[in-house]
Amino acid sequence: MSQPAFDFGDVELDDATNPTYTVGELADAINDQLRRGFRDGVWVRGEIGGLRHGGPHTYFSLVEDGENGKAVLNVQLFAPMKRRLLPILKRNRLELRDGMKVRIFGHLDFYAQGGRLGLKMAGLDPRYTLGEIAQSRDGVMRRLVAEGLIDVNRAKVLSPVPLQVGVAASADSAAWHDFRDEIERSGRGFRLVVADTRVQGEFAARRVAGAIATLSRRTDLDVIVVIRGGGARNELAVFDAEVIARTIAAAPVPVLTGLGHEIDRSVADEVAHTSLKTPTACAGALVDRVNASVATAEAAWQAIAQHVSVAVDSAASRLRDTAHRIARHTHAAVERADERLGVRRHRLASLAPGALGRAGDRLDRNAALLRERSTHRLAREVDRLDVAAARAASLDPAVQLARGWTITRRADGAVARSARALAAGERLTTTLIDGEVTSVVEAPDPSRQPPADRK
């Protein structure tokens, strides 16, 4: 671009061929050029960012990340046009949100007071946004199908009594309150563990995935529930995020979704074990499952009780029959035993006198024989006793002393039996028939042999 020389000379400060604009005039000139260049308006596509509301008007930036950096266009949606566009958004279940990809129509306008170029929004192509959502969703689904992740969580076995429930939801939302109220109305012993998370906005997908992952690390849960209330289709597109789908597939327990939409199914619904239309329906499904288990258990108990009652009645009947048979057999057996006992009693009465007589005779014979044998035996024993007494008397020391024998004892009272055992000067005491004699050994003479024993 060439630069004009600054040699003004006598040139007029303002002429038709080289006009000088005021700032306001330049702004008007720019707008005139924009209107001529984009007389019928212009379609622009990009991603909404920095959405804000100023009274009845809405302002945001249309952003595109390009090779040369981020391109930004300011957009103004004024109240009259906003009222015209709301039915279109509502009909297509869309709502302007940050991160939403849009194709919008408007008129370029240079805002002199701010010195910025903007677009006055006048129209919206909902097919573009829905197409972007569908295209993103289809891409995620293709990758999940290719990796075999669609049916992974569905293969998990849901407890027949899922009372320990982890809930990924916004704790301030109506969805959470609806879910909790439905659970509490059931009167069953549910225990709810809530992982509070944002379910819409720029970082909602990662936060929801983080809440599911946090619940997955617990070992005390039977099921995980992901819920949110109804909303625009682009808001619910949060649950088409791949990070949420992969987290659900990796969960160790079944995951149920109740995402508040009646028509579309999100990717999260596709990978979940069971998807329900609303948070209330999700709670109802859990309550119904527990009620069904309780009903099954009660029916089984009643069937067992009925079977036991029939079995007890049958056994009682058999027992009564058996008791009657035993009573009849016992009565007959007692009667037969009485008859046999009577017969034997008569036989015993008739045989007893003869047996007693024979036994008395045997007793008399044995008594006589015993008396005879004992007399002879006693005489023999008396003779042997007399012989033994005579022998014992012959050995009495007094008798021996009377015969002339003596007994010599040493000082310690021991009998002196050998001369070799005596020592000279030892004192001895000799017992005679009529007294004792004390002597002192002068010299023992062991050479002499003792006299032979007398008999």
Side-chain angles (χ1 to χ4, degrees):
M1 180 177 177
S2 61
Q3 297 292 331
F6 291 96
D7 184 9
F8 297 108
D10 296 329
V11 178
E12 294 289 337
L13 294 177
D14 193 5
D15 61 29
T17 60
N18 188 22
T20 298
Y21 298 95
T22 65
V23 174
E25 291 172 342
L26 180 60
D28 291 338
I30 292 173
N31 281 323
D32 288 340
Q33 291 293 331
L34 291 175
R35 291 188 189 98
R36 285 195 295 269
F38 300 95
R39 180 175 302 171
D40 297 327
V42 61
W43 285 96
V44 186
R45 67 174 180 267
E47 183 176 301
I48 294 177
L51 184 74
R52 69 189 187 282
H53 301 283
H57 312 301
T58 298
Y59 306 94
F60 59 89
S61 297
L62 206 56
V63 182
E64 178 189 17
D65 289 323
E67 295 180 357
N68 298 323
K70 182 179 292 186
V72 179
L73 176 64
N74 297 311
V75 179
Q76 302 90 35
L77 177 58
F78 295 113
M81 190 57 65
K82 186 175 180 179
R83 285 192 295 271
R84 290 178 54 193
L85 292 178
L86 283 178
I88 298 175
L89 291 169
K90 187 174 182 180
R91 187 165 55 249
N92 291 277
R93 296 173 46 236
L94 295 174
E95 186 173 342
L96 298 180
R97 293 290 183 184
D98 283 338
M100 178 179 176
K101 293 183 178 181
V102 293
R103 177 173 179 260
I104 63 176
F105 177 80
H107 299 279
L108 292 171
D109 178 70
F110 182 76
Y111 182 55
Q113 285 82 355
R116 293 182 301 176
L117 178 66
L119 181 71
K120 293 181 180 179
M121 184 174 172
L124 173 75
D125 181 6
R127 296 171 302 173
Y128 177 82
T129 302
L130 296 176
E132 285 289 328
I133 293 173
Q135 184 176 358
S136 176
R137 180 186 185 280
D138 291 345
V140 172
M141 285 296 296
R142 282 195 299 272
R143 289 190 291 274
L144 295 175
V145 170
E147 296 180 34
L149 298 179
I150 295 296
D151 296 322
V152 170
N153 192 258
R154 194 169 293 114
K156 306 290 183 184
V157 178
L158 180 59
S159 168
V161 191
L163 294 175
Q164 311 298 321
V165 184
V167 185
S170 174
D172 296 330
S173 66
W176 157 244
H177 292 291
D178 291 345
F179 179 87
R180 183 192 61 190
D181 292 345
E182 185 73 11
I183 289 291
E184 290 178 351
R185 278 194 296 271
S186 71
R188 300 300 182 186
F190 285 96
R191 184 174 71 91
L192 304 181
V193 179
V194 184
D196 187 13
T197 180
R198 289 182 57 185
V199 293
Q200 63 184 35
E202 184 177 359
F203 303 106
R206 292 198 174 277
R207 292 187 179 183
V208 171
I212 298 170
T214 298
L215 294 171
S216 295
R217 286 192 288 270
R218 299 180 65 104
T219 59
D220 58 344
L221 298 179
D222 299 320
V223 65
I224 294 173
V225 174
V226 183
I227 57 174
R228 69 150 286 164
R233 192 178 304 183
N234 55 300
E235 285 184 342
L236 292 170
V238 167
F239 292 92
D240 290 332
E242 188 168 351
V243 64
I244 294 178
R246 290 184 178 275
T247 306
I248 291 175
V253 296
V255 177
L256 275 60
T257 55
L259 301 178
H261 50 77
E262 299 291 338
I263 302 174
D264 300 324
R265 281 174 61 86
S266 66
V267 175
D269 292 325
E270 297 292 347
V271 298
H273 181 280
T274 305
S275 64
L276 287 306
K277 295 297 183 183
T278 64
T280 301
C282 199
L286 293 176
V287 172
D288 289 345
R289 188 170 184 84
V290 173
N291 288 340
S293 296
V294 172
T296 300
E298 289 178 350
W301 171 253
Q302 296 200 357
I304 291 172
Q306 183 177 2
H307 179 76
V308 170
S309 178
V310 171
V312 168
D313 290 344
S314 177
S317 177
R318 292 196 300 273
L319 183 61
R320 285 193 297 271
D321 293 343
T322 302
H324 291 156
R325 287 198 302 272
I326 291 174
R328 289 195 299 272
H329 291 321
T330 301
H331 184 69
V334 169
E335 289 181 346
R336 289 194 298 272
D338 285 342
E339 292 176 357
R340 290 195 297 271
L341 184 60
V343 171
R344 290 173 181 174
R345 184 171 60 250
H346 291 306
R347 289 179 59 192
L348 182 60
S350 62
L351 295 175
L356 288 174
R358 290 192 296 275
D361 294 341
R362 287 197 301 274
L363 183 60
D364 291 341
R365 288 195 299 273
N366 289 335
L369 182 61
L370 180 60
R371 285 194 297 272
E372 180 181 357
R373 290 182 178 178
S374 62
T375 301
H376 293 302
R377 182 67 179 269
L378 182 61
R380 288 198 301 273
E381 294 300 326
V382 169
D383 291 340
R384 284 199 295 272
L385 185 59
D386 291 341
V387 172
R391 290 181 178 176
S394 67
L395 297 176
D396 188 355
V399 175
Q400 299 302 326
L401 290 174
R403 291 180 179 176
W405 294 93
T406 62
I407 300 174
T408 301
R409 289 183 172 82
R410 302 173 71 177
D412 58 1
V415 177
R417 299 180 182 277
S418 172
R420 293 184 179 84
L422 301 178
E426 184 176 355
R427 191 183 222 29
L428 301 175
T429 300
T430 302
T431 302
L432 305 173
I433 192 172
D434 56 354
E436 292 182 348
V437 176
T438 300
S439 58
V440 176
V441 177
E442 292 183 355
D445 186 5
S447 60
R448 296 183 58 185
Q449 297 292 328
D453 291 339
R454 300 184 205 174
K455 296 189 179 179

